[in-house]
Amino acid sequence: MASVSSMNNVCFSNISSHVSLSNRDQHRQLYYGSLSFKWLGRHISSRKKRFGACSIVAESSDIHFSDPEWKTKYQKDFESKFNLPHLKDILDVKPRPSTFSLMKREGARWAGKENVIDSAEKPKDRKNDYVDNDDRTLLKVIKYASPTSAGAECIDPNCTWVEQWVHRAGPRKDIYFEPMKVKAAIVTCGGLCPGLNDVIRQIFLTLERYGVQKIFGVRYGFRGFFDPELPMKKLSREHVQDINLEGGSLLGVSRGGASMSDIVDSIEAREIDMVFILGGNGTHAGANAIHNECRKRKLKVSVICVPKTIDNDILLMDKTFGFDTAVEEAQRAINSAYIEAHSAYHGIGLVKLMGRSSGFIAMHASLASGQVDVCLIPEVPFTLDEPNGVLPHLEHLIRTKGAAVVCVAEGAGQELLSAPDLKDASGNAVLGDIGVHFKNQIKSYFNEKGIHSDVKYIDPTYMVRSVRANASDAILCTVLGQNAVHGAFAGFSGITMGICNTHYVYLPITEVIHAPRTVNPNSRMWHRCLTSTGQPDFSPRSC
């Protein structure tokens, strides 16, 4: 029986292979040099989407709820999909005892006293330092009473509670590489994000803790695998010791790159055993293609991803590193807009924040500031000058409050723009500038009304993404970097790691690249944002 989600995996067959993906009913295509591929996926077919009072429950065509065993079958299929790819799947590799261990206080007391086995003082039932391969964590923890509950995602019409277990991250007792022989490479792809250096540093330090001596940095994204002018950088403790104290990436970043075949040729020629890839959805799709090509060639190479997206738009994860820092830094821009707006006659402060397809930064920044009157995100359509549009509401705010602050995500309102049909180097659609468009629309609207307005427009994008990670993100980066190395030594490949319900987990890359994670307009968090801003429904249609 097919699963309710029946998700198609991204797979690599050859340079011209194509796999399609649905993303908000539009196809996004990624290009890596001569390789082009599309991702195909869809949300869980019973996932409910709500816009205002309108609800849509997509009924499953793949699962028969009349079957009394449907829940058990669904869970078995889920477990199969979330099984982690391992080197043992393609190679006859034997485990060896791990070289990673933690120093414990009671362990120091017994150093050199191994012969005192029966001593009454020796600790009993001491737990080891390792995560068992059978350890799991719940992907979802809320049992919804009905499909009409706010934010409910139900598999069946009765909203039956179904446990969904995923693999717990951490060091394993058995490893599948000999540390002294390992050659590891770290690469950062896409755009800048707070915390990149923290992750690089922790990957290096943890590899060193295992006993790895050959650790290299691949410069400027995937380009560094094939560009002769960009030799790999041999990393040392001196290189990484203080890089967490500044933003950016020690290795540099870039979008796009060569074909996956060329990249794997480079990996094979340089005899790299572990590849740690930091990046977002597009980078994950590329990493999965690299993983599949390595398996096709039966290479003993572990390809491990660390999800890097400031937009917080990776599926299944509580949050990704850089997001907390972005929300915190966005406060500076929002506060400036507030001061400017309230210091001017009929002032309107307009702030554009990052968020191509997901409005998490705009939503959380608006909630955190408490100063935003209107928050606009890609997931919730809006009109500008219709009677229930944003501009009449701004007029109302100017007449009643004398000022207004608007926060808009960069991907919001794209349907209102005539943006060119272009792609960037990562295959992402080039967006129209909603910030500039909105600023001009505000000025035109108030001029036509004969009402004075003073618009202050702020776009802090590059200031936000280039800063050093804050404390929250630094901790997240530390654990993700460590777990990436643990996963590689455990023999996994084609996996990524994240935090789910406060626990750190390993996930197959194939399960997180179907589409970007987006704000659910029926979620409690979006409702909280609406309550905070007090904005009405700007939807172009009503249900």
Side-chain angles (χ1 to χ4, degrees):
M1 182 189 71
S3 162
V4 61
S5 53
S6 185
M7 297 180 180
N8 293 275
N9 294 340
V10 175
C11 61
F12 184 99
S13 58
N14 53 53
I15 298 222
S16 61
S17 62
H18 290 75
V19 183
S20 59
L21 162 79
S22 171
N23 170 20
R24 297 183 76 223
D25 301 326
Q26 295 182 349
H27 290 289
R28 298 173 63 197
Q29 190 169 15
L30 286 113
Y31 291 92
Y32 289 94
S34 60
L35 170 71
S36 71
F37 54 89
K38 294 180 182 179
W39 323 327
L40 174 65
R42 65 174 191 246
H43 295 297
I44 291 178
S45 57
S46 62
R47 184 184 183 98
K48 178 176 66 174
K49 299 178 180 179
R50 293 178 64 95
F51 295 89
C54 217
S55 84
I56 301 171
V57 179
E59 295 295 339
S60 167
S61 60
D62 302 326
I63 196 166
H64 304 287
F65 298 119
S66 59
D67 181 355
E69 298 295 321
W70 76 263
K71 181 177 175 180
T72 300
K73 293 176 180 178
Y74 172 83
Q75 288 175 315
K76 287 182 178 178
D77 184 75
F78 183 90
E79 181 179 357
S80 175
K81 289 197 295 95
F82 281 81
N83 185 49
L84 302 179
H86 198 280
L87 294 175
K88 292 186 297 183
D89 300 339
I90 59 169
L91 300 170
D92 182 19
V93 290
K94 305 298 182 185
R96 65 180 66 227
S98 177
T99 55
F100 178 85
S101 63
L102 300 177
M103 297 299 294
K104 291 195 173 183
R105 187 168 295 180
E106 62 267 27
R109 290 175 52 214
W110 293 102
K113 299 183 180 181
E114 291 81 0
N115 58 324
V116 191
I117 297 175
D118 298 324
S119 171
E121 297 180 27
K122 190 167 183 177
K124 296 180 180 180
D125 301 325
R126 171 180 163 183
K127 296 181 180 179
N128 62 40
D129 302 326
Y130 306 108
V131 170
D132 194 283
N133 278 332
D134 291 329
D135 284 359
R136 301 288 189 273
T137 187
L138 274 173
L139 187 63
K140 298 178 181 178
V141 296
I142 297 179
K143 181 184 184 298
Y144 294 102
S146 71
T148 58
S149 293
E153 295 181 4
C154 304
I155 295 171
D156 70 325
N158 296 322
C159 220
T160 303
W161 168 249
V162 180
E163 294 177 347
Q164 298 173 322
W165 298 97
V166 291
H167 291 255
R168 183 183 174 202
R172 268 53 174 178
K173 181 179 289 188
D174 292 329
I175 60 176
Y176 289 83
F177 291 91
E178 186 176 341
M180 292 294 291
K181 296 182 178 179
V182 165
K183 186 175 183 180
I186 309 169
V187 58
T188 54
C189 303
L192 287 180
C193 176
L196 281 171
N197 280 334
D198 299 70
V199 178
I200 294 169
R201 181 174 182 270
Q202 282 302 319
I203 290 175
F204 177 92
L205 295 177
T206 310
L207 284 168
E208 191 178 62
R209 184 68 177 266
Y210 272 93
V212 178
Q213 297 178 351
K214 293 177 287 187
I215 309 170
F216 292 84
V218 179
R219 301 170 63 197
Y220 299 104
F222 287 140
R223 178 182 299 277
F225 279 109
F226 67 92
D227 192 331
E229 295 184 0
L230 297 174
M232 290 200 306
K233 181 184 182 72
K234 178 73 164 64
L235 299 179
S236 67
R237 181 173 281 266
E238 287 71 28
H239 286 130
V240 305
Q241 186 63 47
D242 299 323
I243 60 174
N244 59 311
L245 302 180
E246 57 188 42
S249 168
L250 170 70
L251 306 176
V253 295
S254 71
R255 300 188 184 276
S259 72
M260 297 301 107
S261 181
D262 289 345
I263 291 174
V264 176
D265 285 345
S266 175
I267 291 171
E268 187 173 9
R270 300 182 190 195
E271 299 181 326
I272 297 172
D273 304 290
M274 299 177 179
V275 184
F276 299 97
I277 303 174
L278 285 60
N281 272 313
T283 300
H284 273 63
N288 192 56
I290 294 172
H291 159 72
N292 284 328
E293 178 67 4
C294 287
R295 288 170 73 88
K296 178 182 175 182
R297 302 186 190 186
K298 295 190 181 302
L299 301 178
K300 189 182 178 183
V301 176
S302 185
V303 179
I304 307 292
C305 271
V306 180
K308 177 233 66 169
T309 167
I310 202 170
D311 291 347
N312 198 35
D313 61 352
I314 300 287
L315 288 175
L316 307 178
M317 301 177 187
D318 293 355
K319 64 178 178 179
T320 52
F321 75 82
F323 172 69
D324 279 354
T325 305
V327 172
E328 184 175 306
E329 286 298 311
Q331 300 307 300
R332 303 177 189 273
I334 292 174
N335 187 54
S336 296
Y338 176 85
I339 292 173
E340 287 284 354
H342 284 261
S343 299
Y345 176 62
H346 286 181
I348 298 175
L350 175 60
V351 179
K352 185 183 79 171
L353 298 176
M354 287 165 289
R356 293 183 55 86
S357 56
S358 305
F360 288 105
I361 293 180
M363 177 177 69
H364 282 256
S366 297
L367 269 169
S369 72
Q371 299 169 332
V372 174
D373 299 293
V374 176
C375 177
L376 304 173
I377 60 176
E379 297 85 346
V380 181
F382 59 90
T383 60
L384 288 179
D385 52 6
E386 292 183 11
N388 64 328
V390 179
L391 295 176
H393 182 62
L394 286 180
E395 180 185 348
H396 168 74
L397 292 173
I398 289 297
R399 293 185 184 277
T400 56
K401 295 177 58 177
V405 177
V406 181
C407 181
V408 57
E410 62 178 319
Q414 290 299 304
E415 63 276 6
L416 305 175
L417 307 174
S418 56
D421 186 18
L422 300 175
K423 305 281 186 180
D424 64 17
S426 292
N428 300 310
V430 175
L431 300 179
D433 195 329
I434 185 63
V436 173
H437 176 78
F438 196 17
K439 177 187 69 173
N440 293 335
Q441 291 295 309
I442 293 172
K443 290 182 176 180
S444 296
Y445 177 85
F446 280 90
N447 284 338
E448 291 176 3
K449 290 279 186 175
I451 303 172
H452 175 80
S453 67
D454 192 348
V455 184
K456 309 294 186 181
Y457 175 54
I458 301 174
D459 180 356
T461 298
Y462 296 107
M463 296 176 66
V464 168
R465 73 178 201 169
S466 61
V467 301
R468 172 188 175 185
N470 66 8
S472 174
D473 274 328
I475 294 171
L476 178 58
C477 291
T478 296
V479 182
L480 292 178
Q482 292 177 0
N483 282 333
V485 177
H486 296 323
F489 268 103
F492 299 124
S493 181
I495 68 168
T496 189
M497 52 225 50
I499 183 169
C500 294
N501 294 314
T502 73
H503 295 284
Y504 293 92
V505 300
Y506 292 139
L507 300 166
I509 293 176
T510 52
E511 295 305 317
V512 303
I513 59 176
H514 297 296
R517 174 176 176 243
T518 56
V519 174
N520 179 357
N522 185 51
S523 66
R524 288 292 301 126
M525 190 59 75
W526 178 243
H527 288 174
R528 292 173 185 130
C529 186
L530 295 180
T531 301
S532 175
T533 62
Q535 68 192 64
D537 180 15
F538 300 125
S539 174
R541 57 185 174 84
S542 58
C543 300

